[in-house]
Amino acid sequence: MTARMPASPVRRGLSHRLAVNAVMTVVLALATAGVVALLVWILAYVAGQGLKYLGPVFLTQTPPGEPSQAGGGFANGIVGSVIIVGIATGLSVPAGIAAAIHLVEYRGRLARVCSFLTDVLIGLPSIVTGAFVYALWVAHFGFSGLAGAVALALIMLPLIIRATEEVLRLVPNELREASLALGVSRARTVMSIVLPTARSGIITGAMLAVARAMGETAPLLLTALGNDLFLEANPTRRMSTLSLQIFNNAITGFATAQARAWAGTLTLIIIVLVLSVGARLLSRRGIARSAR
Amino acid sequence: MPTPAPPSDTAAPARLDVVNLTASYHGRPAVADVDLAIEPRQVTALIGPSGSGKSTLLRCLNGLHLTVPGASVTGSVLLDDADIYAKDSNPVEIRQRVGMVFQRPTPFPTMSVRDNVLAGLHLGRRLGRGPHDDLAEQALTKAGLWPEVKDRLKAPGGSLSGGQQQRLCIARALAVDPEILLMDEPCSHLDPISTLTIEDLIREIKETYTVVIVTHNMQQAARVADTTAFLTMPAVGEPGRLVEVGPTERIFSTPRQQTTEDYISGKIG
């Protein structure tokens, strides 16, 4: 067809297309390079500032009593972050996965309400979540790491529901029907076919929620409060977290405290990175094992 | 753990009687007023144009239709004289007795070849933990796949070719020792050679099983089926109806209904 058409408009069409193609390729490459450069810049800046002070002392000591003094570290914040986010993960991941299963696999009566509330919760500013937990819990029982964990769990929950829901919807319906047709019950189909197929996506979603919780500061100010005096590992008392310590040290204006804040920021990034990579490796090993 | 029901060559194939069956999605019937007797140890083919409700009818035979949201059924399907839609019938047990193979091969992606074959037994809790290589070998042998995969039992099910995957799915369906095997266009995504392999397989397994196959390929119906049922719908959007059923040779040589003849001779569909 095209060969029989007059040559000139076809030629012009082709050269035009090639030109647009070349321009758009350059534009997209520049946009990508810009985004990557921005991310590398942030990482490099944090690493440059953080590495000035990050070391064994920083990782094993608590902050000095007077913020203007040099030395000390965020050991209590690291321990606090791990404990609080750990509890929040333990609360939110099972509940979130269960809710997503209800939404996708059973389409229960609550599904529409749950879906709507999930959207509302995702859009909720985290300070509101903190105030909510403050009013309901802290006002009665006092500040505690546990209250902080509940606040973080409320922030993680909608993220995990959404992420899990998306991945479950990606599991082909044919697999569910194939399993049902073998005389497998619906519950076993979900547990043994659907969830394992979606496993790596669910883990990725949970890790994003963990990373988000690691960095949350506002709700913790109203719940865990912080504790810079000594290392506290009991979540029923007020606790420090990395994010709280970064906040408290960064706003002092003392160069010594800001150095600690930078080192804390780098530590936070490294913890999240290690957790993400570790979860990836675990999920990959899981698939390899079942394939063997 | 209860002792497993080992796949045996003496399993008694069951008969199915469809009585005045209408299957709907969200209140709209997809196939209506079907009466059909499916004889044991025979291959029954369901043919007809797209939208005539062949697949829906097939999915009614093991109750899978009702797992779709909004789906409903009236009438009955008698599996050896017991209505599978009766209130006290257990859908999980029905699906164990009436196996199914789908249009696309659906090996479970997280499982090895062996685990795929044994999936129905393991997940249906009819089998304890353990390798159970003997059961896997029996099922794979029946599906004609054993020589090709005997050294690859630990490889992922998805690593096989399309035709092998489909025979893996047949092996998986046979491993739970059903009495009836439903096949929904099992060859439509396969090349001609894999198709012939599967057709040979169907002719072999009908010695011990009752087979119902949906196909849009009339040559395939003519090649494998003992009985052929022709469905069509009067107009697009209306439910499909059973037009004619009979021995395959008669349906293709001297159809009694004009619409059947039109379809077979290529005037419609």
Side-chain angles (χ1 to χ4, degrees):
Chain A
M1 281 282 283
T2 46
R4 281 190 205 152
M5 283 166 72
S8 58
V10 174
R11 273 273 168 97
R12 206 174 57 208
L14 180 61
S15 62
H16 180 233
R17 253 183 26 226
L18 287 174
V20 169
N21 186 39
V23 170
M24 289 315 288
T25 306
V26 172
V27 168
L28 290 177
L30 282 177
T32 310
V35 171
V36 170
L38 198 62
L39 288 174
V40 169
W41 186 27
I42 294 174
L43 277 178
Y45 192 77
V46 171
Q49 296 287 340
L51 282 174
K52 284 182 195 159
Y53 189 61
L54 186 64
V57 172
F58 177 82
L59 294 174
T60 53
Q61 292 188 6
T62 54
E66 175 60 45
S68 60
Q69 285 176 346
F74 283 0
N76 50 347
I78 296 171
V79 170
S81 274
V82 169
I83 290 175
I84 290 181
V85 175
I87 295 173
T89 307
L91 290 174
S92 59
V93 167
I97 292 177
I101 288 174
H102 181 76
L103 283 178
V104 179
E105 303 296 327
Y106 290 92
R107 299 182 190 88
R109 281 181 200 169
L110 285 171
R112 214 173 271 180
V113 182
C114 176
S115 191
F116 174 71
L117 289 180
T118 305
D119 284 338
V120 173
L121 267 178
I122 284 183
L124 203 65
S126 58
I127 186 94
V128 177
T129 311
F132 172 73
V133 175
Y134 180 90
L136 249 70
W137 179 322
V138 178
H140 304 292
F141 307 111
F143 294 102
S144 67
L146 220 48
V150 169
L152 290 187
L154 286 175
I155 290 165
M156 293 172 72
L157 191 62
L159 299 172
I160 290 167
I161 294 177
R162 267 284 169 273
T164 308
E165 203 188 330
E166 300 289 329
V167 209
L168 291 182
R169 288 193 201 285
L170 286 180
V171 175
N173 209 29
E174 285 96 340
L175 288 184
R176 294 184 183 89
E177 294 200 328
S179 173
L180 291 176
L182 287 173
V184 178
S185 68
R186 189 163 276 246
R188 284 288 278 181
T189 299
V190 171
M191 294 308 290
S192 303
I193 304 293
V194 179
L195 284 183
T197 306
R199 174 168 43 196
S200 69
I202 295 174
I203 289 177
T204 305
M207 286 319 300
L208 279 176
V210 167
R212 166 86 190 275
M214 277 281 176
E216 278 297 340
T217 317
L220 293 174
L221 282 170
L222 294 170
T223 50
L225 192 60
N227 175 356
D228 279 352
L229 299 175
F230 51 89
L231 200 153
E232 176 66 80
N234 181 349
T236 60
R237 306 219 185 94
R238 48 182 285 200
M239 276 178 119
S240 207
T241 69
L242 268 176
S243 55
L244 284 172
Q245 290 194 313
I246 292 166
F247 174 69
N248 287 335
N249 281 266
I251 58 171
T252 56
F254 300 113
T256 48
Q258 284 170 357
R260 284 192 293 272
W262 280 117
T265 313
L266 183 58
T267 312
L268 193 61
I269 291 180
I270 291 171
I271 290 178
V272 169
L273 211 66
V274 167
L275 284 177
S276 305
V277 173
R280 277 288 164 82
L281 289 179
L282 269 182
S283 74
R284 205 174 295 165
R285 217 167 77 194
I287 287 170
R289 184 183 302 145
S290 66
R292 218 180 306 132
Chain B
M1 273 293 166
T3 44
S8 63
D9 292 331
T10 54
R15 61 172 292 120
L16 275 171
D17 290 283
V18 180
V19 183
N20 196 21
L21 186 88
T22 298
S24 312
Y25 296 99
H26 297 287
R28 281 175 67 106
V31 59
D33 307 327
V34 175
D35 287 283
L36 177 65
I38 291 160
E39 304 291 337
R41 291 180 206 256
Q42 282 205 359
V43 178
T44 303
L46 306 178
I47 63 169
S50 299
S52 60
K54 324 181 277 295
S55 289
T56 303
L57 175 59
L58 190 77
R59 292 163 60 92
C60 285
L61 301 183
N62 67 345
L64 199 61
H65 175 69
L66 286 186
T67 65
V68 178
S72 60
V73 168
T74 62
S76 46
V77 174
L78 306 176
L79 174 58
D80 277 346
D81 298 327
D83 186 2
I84 70 168
Y85 292 111
K87 282 218 169 64
D88 59 347
S89 100
N90 175 357
V92 169
E93 189 208 314
I94 298 295
R95 296 197 298 258
Q96 277 172 2
R97 293 176 63 192
V98 187
M100 188 159 182
V101 173
F102 296 83
Q103 208 166 345
R104 284 175 190 280
T106 50
F108 299 132
T110 57
M111 293 186 188
S112 65
V113 169
R114 185 185 59 207
D115 290 349
N116 258 288
V117 175
L118 299 175
L121 293 171
H122 278 311
L123 302 182
R125 297 191 192 269
R126 291 209 272 160
L127 200 61
R129 291 258 156 232
H132 296 295
D133 282 339
D134 48 337
L135 293 181
E137 180 177 345
Q138 283 182 41
L140 286 166
T141 305
K142 276 192 205 170
L145 193 57
W146 178 249
E148 290 160 67
V149 300
K150 63 173 188 249
D151 300 321
R152 300 169 62 187
L153 291 178
K154 290 168 185 173
S159 68
L160 303 180
S161 75
Q164 289 174 331
Q165 286 185 16
Q166 192 62 301
R167 279 181 286 151
L168 177 64
C169 292
I170 295 174
R172 187 172 69 184
L174 295 182
V176 297
D177 202 24
E179 296 154 47
I180 296 173
L181 190 63
L182 311 177
M183 306 179 105
D184 189 358
E185 299 188 23
C187 303
S188 62
H189 287 276
L190 301 183
D191 62 89
I193 292 179
S194 303
T195 300
L196 287 179
T197 316
I198 290 192
E199 287 178 4
D200 286 341
L201 181 57
I202 293 170
R203 278 187 287 266
E204 258 168 56
I205 60 179
K206 80 167 184 184
E207 305 291 324
T208 35
Y209 299 89
T210 306
V211 178
V212 187
I213 180 171
V214 164
T215 177
H216 54 203
N217 179 334
M218 282 180 281
Q219 287 76 26
Q220 182 168 61
R223 283 192 299 262
V224 300
D226 303 298
T227 305
T228 295
F230 171 64
L231 289 90
T232 189
M233 63 289 190
V236 174
E238 289 190 40
R241 284 168 198 280
L242 183 66
V243 174
E244 189 170 359
V245 56
T248 301
E249 268 177 41
R250 185 186 64 67
I251 291 280
F252 282 102
S253 57
T254 51
R256 290 184 186 146
Q257 302 290 327
Q258 188 59 40
T259 32
T260 313
E261 190 172 346
D262 288 350
Y263 181 71
I264 287 165
S265 57
K267 280 185 200 156
I268 57 168

